[in-house]
């Protein structure tokens, strides 16, 4: 962005300060010490809000890569630019290479894959940012088939965080975590079937005792005898025992 300081050589009015893009500055042939007509000054002044909006976009993109939709939404919500001006700004940013949804899509798929997010989650996240579903699916298809491998890796990590549950409840919680992570129900089931729950099975009786004690403390003030036993039984059954 170029700052113009315009002075009235005849002293008839106050100095004027205007902003314009560097491209426009050179394209207009403006030079230090040169003269501008009142018509040109008015034209620059009318375009100044778009110039400042463009500068705001550059600052946002410099801080973090953005999609076309994210910049478009920011312009409509935070500037008084017309739709036509906004379209010109966004088109200019794309022409300059500052906005590139295809590049954004590829880079963010790679980042989210490293973070062990499943493809359904990746699709949801990128669509929220304005990337077309067709582009996302195409970029995913161009990558090596690593979804099952990543699902296995995530399942092992998630499994270690689930303690003191029945094997059935642990498997249910694990599937829920995997699906929240973006892995399909089919892949989640397949991975869980492969996993070894031998240690959990060895601990299941002790976990059941703790579960029954917890249920008894919860209900013993309200129920006794057969009613208490039935509530404890139903509580433990709900936990997968």
């Amino acid at each position: 962005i170029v700052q113009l300081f315009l002075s009235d050589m005849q002293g008839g009015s106050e100095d004027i300060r205007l902003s314009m893009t560097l491209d426009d500055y050179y394209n207009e042939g403006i030079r230090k010490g040169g003269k501008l007509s009142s018509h040109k000054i008015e034209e620059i002044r009318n375009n100044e809000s778009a110039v400042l909006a463009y500068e705001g976009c550059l600052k946002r993109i410099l801080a973090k890569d953005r999609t076309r939709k994210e910049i478009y939404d920011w312009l409509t919500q935070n500037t008084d630019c017309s739709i036509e001006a906004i379209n010109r700004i966004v088109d200019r940013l794309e022409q300059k290479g500052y906005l590139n949804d295809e590049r954004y899509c590829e880079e963010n798929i790679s980042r989210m894959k490293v973070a062990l997010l499943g493809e359904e989650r990746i699709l949801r996240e990128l669509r929220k940012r304005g990337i077309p579903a067709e582009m996302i699916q195409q970029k995913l298809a161009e990558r090596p088939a690593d979804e099952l491998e990543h699902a296995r890796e995530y399942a092992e990590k998630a499994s270690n965080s689930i303690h003191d549950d029945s094997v059935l409840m642990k498997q249910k919680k694990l599937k829920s975590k995997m699906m929240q992570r973006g892995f399909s129900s089919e892949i989640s089931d397949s991975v869980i079937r492969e996993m070894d729950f031998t240690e959990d099975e060895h601990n299941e009786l002790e976990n059941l005792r703790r579960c029954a004690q917890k249920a008894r403390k919860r209900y013993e003030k309200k129920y006794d005898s057969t009613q208490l036993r039935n509530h404890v039984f139903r509580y433990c059954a709900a936990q997968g025992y």
Side-chain angles (χ1 to χ4, degrees), residues 88-105:
R88 287 195 297 270
I89 291 170
V90 172
D91 289 344
R92 189 170 196 169
L93 290 167
E94 284 187 323
Q95 291 165 6
K96 294 287 186 180
Y98 298 129
L99 289 180
N100 186 320
D101 279 1
E102 189 169 350
R103 179 189 65 212
Y104 184 99
C105 184

Side-chain angles (χ1 to χ4, degrees), residues 8 10-11 21 32 44 57-58 75 82 96 101 127 142 156 167 179 187 191 193 203 225:
D8 186 344
Q10 298 177 352
T21 67
K32 183 178 180 180
I44 295 171
C57 291
L58 291 177
L75 285 167
S82 66
K96 294 287 186 180
D101 279 1
R127 286 191 68 186
E142 292 172 358
E156 288 296 334
V167 174
M179 292 185 66
I187 285 180
V191 168
R193 282 195 297 268
N203 296 330
S225 188

Side-chain angles (χ1 to χ4, degrees), residues 133-179:
E134 296 78 10
M135 181 187 293
I136 303 166
Q137 290 163 347
Q138 177 186 342
K139 295 302 177 183
L140 286 170
E142 292 172 358
R143 294 177 55 87
D146 53 10
E147 183 79 343
L148 186 57
E149 177 188 345
H150 287 169
R152 289 178 178 135
E153 186 177 348
Y154 175 74
E156 288 296 334
K157 291 183 177 181
S159 178
N160 294 331
S161 69
I162 304 172
H163 307 288
D164 304 329
D165 283 312
S166 67
V167 174
L168 181 60
M169 181 58 68
K170 181 169 185 174
Q171 290 172 340
K172 286 183 177 179
K173 288 184 177 180
L174 185 55
K175 181 175 180 179
S176 177
K177 283 178 175 286
M178 293 183 71
M179 292 185 66

Side-chain angles (χ1 to χ4, degrees), residues 35-96:
K35 295 182 179 180
L36 294 177
S37 67
S38 58
H39 174 75
K40 178 56 66 177
I41 292 173
E42 190 62 24
E43 183 181 315
I44 295 171
R45 180 183 283 115
N46 291 338
N47 194 47
E48 191 171 30
S49 62
V51 171
L52 296 176
Y54 182 83
E55 182 181 31
C57 291
L58 291 177
K59 289 179 179 178
R60 291 184 65 78
I61 294 169
L62 181 62
K64 178 184 176 182
D65 201 11
R66 311 282 177 170
T67 66
R68 179 184 176 97
K69 178 182 182 299
E70 287 174 325
I71 288 298
Y72 191 95
D73 288 347
W74 182 82
L75 285 167
T76 57
Q77 295 166 14
N78 296 276
T79 72
D80 58 359
C81 294
S82 66
I83 296 301
E84 292 77 12
I86 288 173
N87 286 332
R88 287 195 297 270
I89 291 170
V90 172
D91 289 344
R92 189 170 196 169
L93 290 167
E94 284 187 323
Q95 291 165 6
K96 294 287 186 180

